[in-house]
Amino acid sequence: DGVKRVFSGIQPTGIPHLGNYLGAIESWVRLQSEHSSVLYSIVDLHSITVPQDPAVLRQSIWDMTAALLACGINPEKSVLFQQSQVSEHTQLSWILTCMIRLPRLQHLHQWKAKTAKQKHNGTMGLLTYPVLQAADVLLYKSTHVPVGEDQIQHMELIQDLARGFNKKYGEFFPVPKSILTSMKKVKSLRDPSAKMSKSDPDKLATVRITDSPEEIVQKFRKAVTDFTSEVTYDPARRGGVSNLVAIHSAVTGLPVEEVVRQSAGINTARYKLVVADAVIEKFAPIRSEMAKLKMDQGHLQKVLQAGSAKAKELAYPVCQEVKELVGF
Ligand code: ADP
Ligand code: NA
């Protein structure tokens, strides 16, 4: 029917970091103004694929709500909701789970990487969460999904499930397309071979949107670089410095060549502070908005409840139709 619908999700597993912001949230903010139908989900069901402390998880859901609003997600322009409050996600997920073969999931890179990290003792949820992702997307008959590079394989799975369902039950789901969010992975400040991640135990590796200017300076000061003092962009050979350049370029909106040109004659130690300043400036309004929002739990609750009710309204009829098609 030609209508575009955008869907994306983020796990409530801690305060978003620079990678989440540049790799996802910033483009979410843009997309909600460019499209009339946009849904963003705080995917709490996904977060329990690994152990979570209930009190910490509950707090993280509020923190993520506040963080997304502070970053510019506007509930007037997009539906911001909590996945677990729309029970149709798990219902559709089960139906799709029954349409996919075990080896297809076992061959996904992320499963292999994550289960290896857990000594091949990962939960069934960790194995099947890409199917839950498919349900998240298809439940709203989404046409476009902003994703990072790491999710391309999962998007292919979602597309296969949509096609498979349509083949068996008749044309029903649009086959969703990826919108690649342009930012390459932001790397850990301590190990440029790893991505910046919410769950990194090294506190200096990850810059959060709520970090104070002092914390941001400290983290960039301690960023791992190399023994060459010039600032150049060469991700293959100079991962650490190139990560700083990429961050600098992304937060200022200037091309990589331009930030490198501007940094001629500055050594990397000095350059770290330049990048720290650019990040501090970028996050200052977000940080103060976040502090305000966190003091008004009632407001956060209202926003999330209203969003979840809107999502439910969209999801319910689709799920009913699916059940009928399946023969329930
Ligand atoms: P994390 O891996 O830190 O827990 P999530 O899995 O919740 O983050 O991912 C939320 C979004 O942020 C996804 O779209 C993901 O691609 C993006 N993202 C996560 N880490 C990075 C990073 N280091 N650089 C760029 N984008 C990232
Ligand atoms: Na919109």
Side-chain angles (χ1 to χ4, degrees), residues 262-273:
Q262 285 180 5
S263 313
I266 305 178
N267 65 26
T268 52
R270 176 82 196 95
Y271 185 60
K272 289 176 182 177
L273 302 180

Side-chain angles (χ1 to χ4, degrees), residues 104-281:
R104 180 79 167 81
L105 295 177
Q106 285 171 323
H107 285 126
L108 295 170
H109 300 315
Q110 286 217 6
W111 161 251
K112 287 193 211 163
K114 286 184 178 177
T115 194
K117 240 192 253 171
Q118 299 184 24
K119 304 195 167 53
H120 303 280
N121 195 28
T123 64
M124 285 298 292
L126 197 61
L127 175 69
T128 61
Y129 94 88
V131 183
L132 180 58
Q133 282 185 321
D136 298 339
V137 169
L138 298 180
L139 187 54
Y140 302 96
K141 295 194 166 183
S142 311
T143 58
H144 292 80
V145 185
V147 287
E149 281 176 328
D150 57 333
Q151 291 293 324
I152 292 175
Q153 238 197 355
H154 291 177
M155 275 306 295
E156 287 166 5
L157 180 85
I158 297 174
Q159 293 163 340
D160 287 351
L161 279 166
R163 288 192 198 98
F165 188 95
N166 292 347
K167 192 158 172 239
K168 184 162 163 80
Y169 299 110
E171 227 27 65
F172 185 74
F173 290 121
V175 177
K177 295 186 174 66
S178 313
I179 304 175
L180 258 194
T181 50
S182 58
M183 183 66 199
K184 296 250 186 281
K185 287 286 141 196
V186 174
K187 303 292 169 30
S188 154
L189 292 185
R190 303 290 286 169
D191 172 10
S193 70
K195 72 163 201 153
M196 187 176 284
S197 165
K198 289 200 214 93
S199 52
D200 198 318
D202 184 344
K203 296 287 166 258
L204 292 172
T206 305
V207 176
R208 315 247 170 198
I209 62 166
T210 50
D211 282 350
S212 68
E214 296 72 29
E215 287 170 312
I216 294 175
V217 166
Q218 188 207 14
K219 288 176 182 180
F220 277 98
R221 247 191 227 288
K222 295 272 168 73
V224 169
T225 49
D226 51 34
F227 297 107
T228 306
S229 72
E230 261 173 289
V231 176
T232 61
Y233 185 71
D234 182 357
R237 267 172 297 183
R238 301 194 68 200
V241 178
S242 302
N243 187 38
L244 298 180
V245 171
I247 291 169
H248 191 190
S249 160
V251 297
T252 57
L254 296 170
V256 161
E257 306 77 61
E258 180 58 22
V259 297
V260 171
R261 201 190 56 75
Q262 285 180 5
S263 313
I266 305 178
N267 65 26
T268 52
R270 176 82 196 95
Y271 185 60
K272 289 176 182 177
L273 302 180
V274 172
V275 181
D277 276 343
V279 172
I280 290 166
E281 195 180 316

Side-chain angles (χ1 to χ4, degrees), residues 30-39 74 76-79:
R30 200 178 55 246
L31 288 166
Q32 67 178 354
S33 303
E34 292 172 358
H35 300 283
S36 58
S37 187
V38 179
L39 292 110
N74 179 347
E76 309 271 296
K77 294 184 179 174
S78 54
V79 178

Side-chain angles (χ1 to χ4, degrees), residues 61-62 65-66 69 75-76 78-82 85 293 296-311:
I61 293 166
W62 296 124
T65 309
L69 295 175
E76 309 271 296
S78 54
V79 178
L80 176 63
F81 75 100
Q82 186 181 350
Q85 302 309 300
L293 285 162
D296 195 351
Q297 173 108 1
H299 174 67
L300 297 177
Q301 219 151 2
K302 253 202 306 220
V303 167
L304 211 51
Q305 268 169 10
S308 301
K310 272 194 223 168

Side-chain angles (χ1 to χ4, degrees), residues 9-15 41-62 64 81-85 89-90 110 114 118 123-130 132-133 136 198-199:
I10 189 162
Q11 298 192 56
T13 46
I15 304 282
S41 185
I42 296 175
V43 290
D44 48 2
L45 294 172
H46 285 283
S47 67
I48 62 165
T49 52
V50 297
Q52 300 289 343
D53 177 88
V56 173
L57 176 56
R58 201 162 290 125
Q59 185 57 46
S60 295
I61 293 166
W62 296 124
M64 185 55 79
F81 75 100
Q82 186 181 350
Q83 183 193 29
S84 64
Q85 302 309 300
H89 286 257
T90 46
Q110 286 217 6
K114 286 184 178 177
Q118 299 184 24
T123 64
M124 285 298 292
L126 197 61
L127 175 69
T128 61
Y129 94 88
L132 180 58
Q133 282 185 321
D136 298 339
K198 289 200 214 93
S199 52

